Amino acid sequence: MKYAISSISITNYRQYLGTQVLDFTFDKTKNVSLILGKNGAGKSNLLNAITWCLYGIEIHKSKDHHDISGMPVINTSALKKLKVNESITAEVTIHLKTDSGPWIIKRTLEGGKSGLGDLYFDDASKLSVVHPVYGQDKIDHGDDTQILINNLLPEALKNFFFIDGEQLREFFKVSTPENISKAIDIVSQLELVYKASDHLSKVETNLRKSVKNSTPQLERVQRNIELTEKKIEELKTTIKTIEKQKEKDHEEIAKVREFLKTHNSTQIASLEKERQSLETDIRKLNEQLRKKEYQRNSYLIEIAPFIYLKKEIEQTYGIIEEKVEKGELPPRIREIFIKELLEKGRCICGNDLVGESRKALEEYSKKVSLSELSEISIVGKTTIEDIFSSIKEFPAKIDAINEEIEDFKDQLEKKERRLEHISEEVKEYDVADVRRYEERREELNRLIAKNEQVLILQNSDLTILNTTLKDLKDEYERELSKNKKNDSLKERLTLVQSSLKVLANTEKIIKTKIRYQVEKSLNENFKTLIRKKTAFSSITIDENYDVKVHHIDGYNVINDLSAGEYLILGLSFMSALMTISGFQAPVIIDTPLGKIDDEHREYITTELPRFLAGTQLILLVTPTEYDHNVQANLSKYLINENFYRISENKEQTESTVGRYDGN
Amino acid sequence: MIEGSEFNKLILETIDEHCDDPNVKNLIQKSLRYELDIWNRHIRPSDIEDEYEQMVEDVLKGRKQ
């Protein structure tokens, strides 16, 4: 079902004291609504208000955020004014326009001051939904009400529609293949298959336990299965923890790099820029080195047999030449050609083939078809001559390749040495913060490298354990089939196990299909949105969910994109997921243009509204982002009535929202 | 999770293509339908287990629910 937001009403929520209303009108040719606000004025809390109302979650805060010492959801000024035994409610109401008619979604949270003067808050917020059913408005409250909203747009997909610009820019900068795989999992709704598999696995375990282990073998296998399953679970938990840690370390290292790169000391900033450029060069050089080494190895594999058998090949060649000299092997002339000459009775020189010359040619034609071996020998002679020339050019060719390899290694060594020097220079800088960040950067690099190695080992252990489990289950099935008892249980167990196998296979097939779809859509979107259309040849997502952006020169430049290019890559990926998910909801982006260069700003503000034509696009922007060029570009798509500005009070503790005419 | 979405069709089609056993197909379809029914609802794990055990029994008895 397609929906758009027709109004948002916010009461006593975060810095919004009293009630603020934002109405949105619709226009067939325009799709952009704007909310202008300084940093910290409350733009992000407007986005939070929307996700809180719909899902009870604030997008900028983690799900398990229950820190009572932090700012409460209810406006603090309103709380301060409360007398004892008085209460107050924070409320966000969203009116939606849907295909089936208007909806009203309201979430509230109550708090108050107790008789003793302590503040208290309800444990959970309350949700109510008014929606049309058979032409009548139906009101729903309670736990299951959330299902209605999840049918409009599942909570798992909310981050693809309600977007934090900063996070989107960082998505591919710090994202790991696990994140990409997770995003594709969410969108492909494979969760349904995973849950069915999990629940059927529990049935399988219960059934196995119910089977009377009447033979010692059966008992032994059952015990081993349980042990292996336990080990697998433990290992999966460990892997998850390490992956999470790795993800956190990547995020932190990106922040450290950004801190150094934008440091107000020009020396540090330029050193960090040089380091990042060196790292790019090193990646490219490593790629070239790998390619060259592969070329050398392939060449060696191809030529090695000839070099080892050089003596034998020379002997063979000698034998063939001797036979040719003796006339036992004729030169390579096609039998058909001689037959034609004999049939025509005329030589190619013009003379008639009669008498002795005809006789000689007839003798020759017999030799031509002497034997298959002769033919092989003649072909072999030419091939051996080719091999000789390959062997002859081998020393020069291998030297040239080795020279190129050594050259790459030299360049790498120099650049790596320079990297070390930069690190030393930064560590010796006389600002404590810089030294601390540099040390942390080194520590994080070590941790990431170590965790990557641990993950390789753990994943390999997991593969071995999974194979063991499969073998044990097969053994169990064999043992069970020998057992005449438990027929009914055996039948159930077989059914559940077969279903699990089909589900596992389905999961793999679907994931591959969706990955291809996402990759295709991602390429199309990126080509549409990116300014430098000819600089990138393609984007690939391999079977390990590793995303590569291929430069026209063949390099993977995923780590070398500008902030604008990262944003476009993120937007293209999100749009691909949005399209594939099939859900049609408004797209709301907080700070879409921050840190983006002018050229990309211009391009995004021209292309994005057109790219999302027909979709309600709400942009929350700072005055810096909304410069003259952006204004001019967006004017074509902006619905003027939907232009709002957030204003703060003098103390910058409370905010209000009002319509803005752009002046 | 939306019933009748492109993805559900894709999942069901894939199962159909790669499974010949009608009982297995039936159990998987029942499981997926049940998961769709309880999607985003708080159901006790023991109730889910009971429901699954009942599904297995129903499929083997060839009973229609």
Side-chain angles (χ1 to χ4, degrees), chain A residues 11-14 52 65-82 86-91 108-115 117-126:
Chain A
T11 307
N12 297 328
Y13 173 85
R14 298 280 174 197
W52 184 70
H65 180 89
H66 291 302
D67 181 10
I68 357 175
S69 61
M71 292 281 275
V73 166
I74 303 175
N75 180 274
T76 48
S77 303
L79 283 170
K80 257 191 240 168
K81 287 176 196 159
L82 285 180
E86 271 187 356
S87 65
I88 191 170
T89 304
E91 180 187 311
T108 58
L109 181 83
E110 206 180 295
K113 206 175 250 180
S114 70
D118 298 329
L119 286 178
Y120 66 85
F121 301 100
D122 277 356
D123 288 338
S125 57
K126 291 186 183 106

Side-chain angles (χ1 to χ4, degrees), chain A residues 1 143-144 146-147 150-152 154-155 187-193 195-197 199-200 202-203 206-207 488 491-496 498-500 502-503 505-506 509-510 513-514 517 580-583, chain B residues 1-3 5-25 27-28 31-42 45 48-49 51-53 55-57 59-60:
Chain A
M1 188 174 6
D143 283 350
D144 288 348
Q146 192 63 56
I147 301 169
N150 283 319
N151 283 342
L152 283 176
E155 191 227 304
V187 87
S188 56
Q189 306 188 17
L190 269 174
E191 201 74 5
L192 203 72
V193 176
K195 286 197 171 171
S197 295
H199 292 141
L200 278 170
K202 271 182 197 135
V203 178
N206 289 346
L207 282 171
S488 153
E491 198 183 10
R492 287 186 214 182
L493 195 58
T494 311
L495 172 65
V496 172
S498 307
S499 304
L500 278 166
V502 173
L503 280 175
N505 194 26
T506 305
I509 296 166
I510 302 269
K513 281 185 185 173
I514 311 276
Q517 279 189 36
I580 284 161
S581 76
F583 287 96
Chain B
M1 193 58 55
I2 284 197
E3 194 177 348
S5 77
E6 284 302 311
F7 286 105
N8 282 336
K9 272 188 222 156
L10 187 63
I11 292 170
L12 293 175
E13 274 169 18
T14 312
I15 290 164
D16 215 41
E17 278 168 28
H18 295 87
C19 175
D20 301 325
D21 187 331
N23 281 343
V24 171
K25 219 183 276 189
L27 178 61
I28 293 176
S31 314
L32 294 176
R33 162 150 286 286
Y34 176 65
E35 291 299 338
L36 201 60
D37 285 346
I38 63 164
W39 189 256
N40 276 320
R41 279 165 60 189
H42 305 288
I48 297 176
E49 271 178 41
E51 186 63 37
Y52 264 87
E53 270 158 26
M55 274 191 259
V56 174
E57 200 153 308
V59 168
L60 285 174

Side-chain angles (χ1 to χ4, degrees), chain A residues 55 59 150-163 182-189 574 577-578 580-586, chain B residues 1-2 7:
Chain A
Y55 305 104
I59 212 161
N150 283 319
N151 283 342
L152 283 176
L153 178 70
E155 191 227 304
L157 296 181
K158 70 177 188 311
N159 289 355
F160 304 137
F161 291 84
F162 308 135
I163 303 164
K182 206 167 126 194
I184 292 177
D185 266 2
I186 292 170
V187 87
S188 56
Q189 306 188 17
M574 295 299 160
L577 297 176
M578 269 156 57
I580 284 161
S581 76
F583 287 96
Q584 292 177 291
Chain B
M1 193 58 55
I2 284 197
F7 286 105

Side-chain angles (χ1 to χ4, degrees), chain A residues 72-105:
Chain A
V73 166
I74 303 175
N75 180 274
T76 48
S77 303
L79 283 170
K80 257 191 240 168
K81 287 176 196 159
L82 285 180
K83 291 176 184 157
V84 288
N85 293 324
E86 271 187 356
S87 65
I88 191 170
T89 304
E91 180 187 311
V92 179
T93 305
I94 299 179
H95 290 251
L96 302 179
K97 179 188 165 193
T98 78
D99 297 338
S100 63
W103 283 44
I104 306 168
I105 300 164

Side-chain angles (χ1 to χ4, degrees), chain A residues 1-14:
Chain A
M1 188 174 6
K2 185 175 179 172
Y3 81 88
I5 296 174
S6 51
S7 97
I8 307 168
S9 163
I10 301 170
T11 307
N12 297 328
Y13 173 85
R14 298 280 174 197

